[in-house]
Amino acid sequence: MRSIQLKTLVYFFVVSVVLLLSCETESSQFEIGVDLVESKSKISLVDTFSIQLSTVKYDSLPTSGTANALVGYFENDQTGSIELNSYFTVDLPSGLTAVDSEAVFDSLILTLYYGEYLLGDTTTMQTLQVYRLKEELMLQEDDYSAEYLFNTSRFPAEDQTCGELFFLPQVHKESIEIRLDDKLGRELLQLGKDKADEVLNNTNFSAFFRGLVLKPGENPDSRVLSFSTDSIKLQLHTHVAGQYEHDELVIDFNLSENNNHFNALISDRSGTDFENLISEREKLFSRISGDKSFIQGTAGVLVRVDFPSLNELYKLEDHILLKAELVLRPSPESFASDVPQTLHFYETGKINQMNDQLVDADDNVVYANLALDELYKENSYYIADITTFLSAELAGSYYNIDHGLLVTVPLSDFKSQTDHLILEGEKSSRYKPTLNLYFLTYE
């Protein structure tokens, strides 16, 4: 019995196989290099090997230094609710201690520029609240000694808001402005005039002004807004009275260069299938969660794909694996909001660790593109070529069923967006995932 593996063929044989994959005849029987192989051969497709989907939730996900400040609330009957808060600090501007001693305070404004990402409805009013932090944002080391802040990180804030805005999100506009507490603004201006110790250097300033956190107001609608972290500004507006007109001066407090801004997530999974999914070593099988598996950005929720029956391949005689395609189908309900255009894959083992990103034989990243059913959506699917992965896994005499794939949106989006994708499980009547295996077989 031959082991199933991707074999190196001579040049003329490779050319013949390529022609076979791109051409069809009535009988699907082909002569391949008659001088090399006397028997007839054909291309066969097998799509009956089982696929097992499950949902995995990481204990914590690094969310510091991302492009989006996420604020809002999202609720789903199957996964529960999440609230997103965005924490950030600002640096000491050089102009604060150079301010004119006659300067008069006008306002302290937090300016937020809309990001490109949005989840939910923007036709209803939204409340955005700003709180002053009581502790400095300190980066934490992960298992590899890299410094991050995580979606599970928490820092205490004052009980009372220092700013609030009730508004209709209009993402076609450039930005929103939130007026902060006048008392804080006057205090900052006076510290600058006095050249006080608190504004002597950035270290002292960070100990005095520890940062801000953005939160949704009470009873929020299911909606998440993003704001570009590159353009967050805290602006102190002042003026100096002149004989005929005022000389206005705006002092900008820019986002801290320490890269310690981050998005925190508070989830409530009670009453859902996710309630007991506590450790990242655990899997929530799709058959338990309504025959569905889930991807949810910033929440650290992603899909695992396993191939439990692949050892049956070793029973096949005279088969050469030419190509392996993984087809994943989104649930129709996913299209209530925008769905991701691509999915990425990472190799994983028994305890769901995220290992190497999946690449092909030329070291190109393997990803699944969305084939969108423009008319009805329900026949949409993602498809990926995983030939290199399966060929390597099958190269020996035994396939380790603990080896699988983690499926997620691109990792940068996974950390900075709240994409919510539902994939149909293996028991689905119409939308189940499939593994298409193309073999060269001999008679």
Side-chain angles (χ1 to χ4, degrees), residues 290-310:
D291 202 37
K292 293 175 174 57
S293 293
F294 304 86
I295 295 173
Q296 193 172 38
T298 307
V301 175
L302 62 168
V303 169
R304 175 171 174 141
V305 179
D306 288 294
F307 310 97
S309 64
L310 277 188

Side-chain angles (χ1 to χ4, degrees), residues 5 27 44 107 169 176 190 203 210 236 253 311 339 404 407 423:
Q5 53 184 314
S27 63
S44 60
S107 62
I176 60 172
Q190 192 60 49
T203 301
R210 300 175 180 90
L236 179 61
F253 296 74
N311 277 306
V339 297
V407 187
L423 295 177

Side-chain angles (χ1 to χ4, degrees), residues 15 17 37 55 98 100 106 129 139 141 152 175 190 196 225 251 255 278 290 296 337 353 356 360 410 415 440 443:
V15 171
V17 169
V37 181
T55 303
D100 193 299
D106 290 325
Q129 296 178 331
L139 293 168
E141 285 191 358
T152 53
S175 63
Q190 192 60 49
L225 299 176
I251 301 173
L255 198 70
I278 299 173
Q296 193 172 38
S337 58
Q353 69 274 27
D356 293 336
D360 62 19
K415 295 178 179 181
L440 180 66
E443 291 184 355

Side-chain angles (χ1 to χ4, degrees), residues 237-391:
H237 293 256
T238 70
H239 74 271
V240 177
Q243 184 176 0
Y244 301 104
E245 60 183 16
H246 295 330
D247 293 328
E248 296 183 354
L249 173 65
V250 179
I251 301 173
D252 290 339
F253 296 74
N254 294 317
L255 198 70
S256 173
E257 294 183 357
N258 291 336
N259 218 29
N260 57 355
H261 58 277
F262 77 102
N263 297 313
L265 180 137
I266 303 169
S267 62
D268 182 2
R269 312 288 189 184
S270 57
T272 71
D273 296 320
F274 277 66
E275 188 171 12
N276 297 318
L277 188 59
I278 299 173
S279 169
E280 63 188 46
R281 293 171 176 258
E282 300 170 348
K283 294 184 287 187
L284 177 64
F285 294 104
S286 61
R287 63 176 181 269
I288 298 174
S289 54
D291 202 37
K292 293 175 174 57
S293 293
F294 304 86
I295 295 173
Q296 193 172 38
T298 307
V301 175
L302 62 168
V303 169
R304 175 171 174 141
V305 179
D306 288 294
F307 310 97
S309 64
L310 277 188
N311 277 306
E312 296 299 312
L313 279 173
Y314 295 105
K315 297 179 181 180
L316 300 177
E317 296 279 356
D318 298 322
H319 283 59
I320 297 176
L321 179 63
L322 296 177
K323 189 174 184 179
E325 291 178 335
L326 177 62
V327 181
L328 302 172
R329 293 179 170 86
S331 173
E333 61 198 280
S334 287
F335 293 96
S337 58
D338 292 337
V339 297
Q341 295 300 302
T342 60
L343 299 177
H344 286 202
F345 301 86
Y346 292 82
E347 297 183 38
T348 190
K350 188 172 184 178
I351 60 174
N352 305 320
Q353 69 274 27
M354 184 176 283
N355 295 328
D356 293 336
Q357 187 169 13
L358 206 61
V359 295
D360 62 19
D362 297 320
D363 284 334
N364 298 313
V365 171
V366 172
Y367 54 88
N369 282 324
L370 175 65
L372 181 62
D373 174 7
E374 297 281 358
L375 186 58
Y376 300 109
K377 302 294 192 294
E378 60 184 18
N379 293 318
S380 302
Y381 59 90
Y382 295 93
I383 185 167
D385 187 334
I386 60 169
T387 307
T388 301
F389 168 73
L390 280 191
S391 297

Side-chain angles (χ1 to χ4, degrees), residues 119-153:
L119 177 66
D121 182 18
T122 59
T123 61
T124 58
M125 300 297 287
Q126 164 115 19
T127 300
L128 199 58
Q129 296 178 331
V130 186
Y131 292 84
R132 191 172 171 181
L133 297 179
K134 296 195 292 186
E135 289 184 8
E136 292 184 60
L137 300 183
M138 304 298 293
L139 293 168
Q140 304 162 9
E141 285 191 358
D142 66 3
D143 294 337
Y144 305 97
S145 297
E147 291 190 326
Y148 298 102
L149 285 166
F150 301 84
N151 60 349
T152 53
S153 301

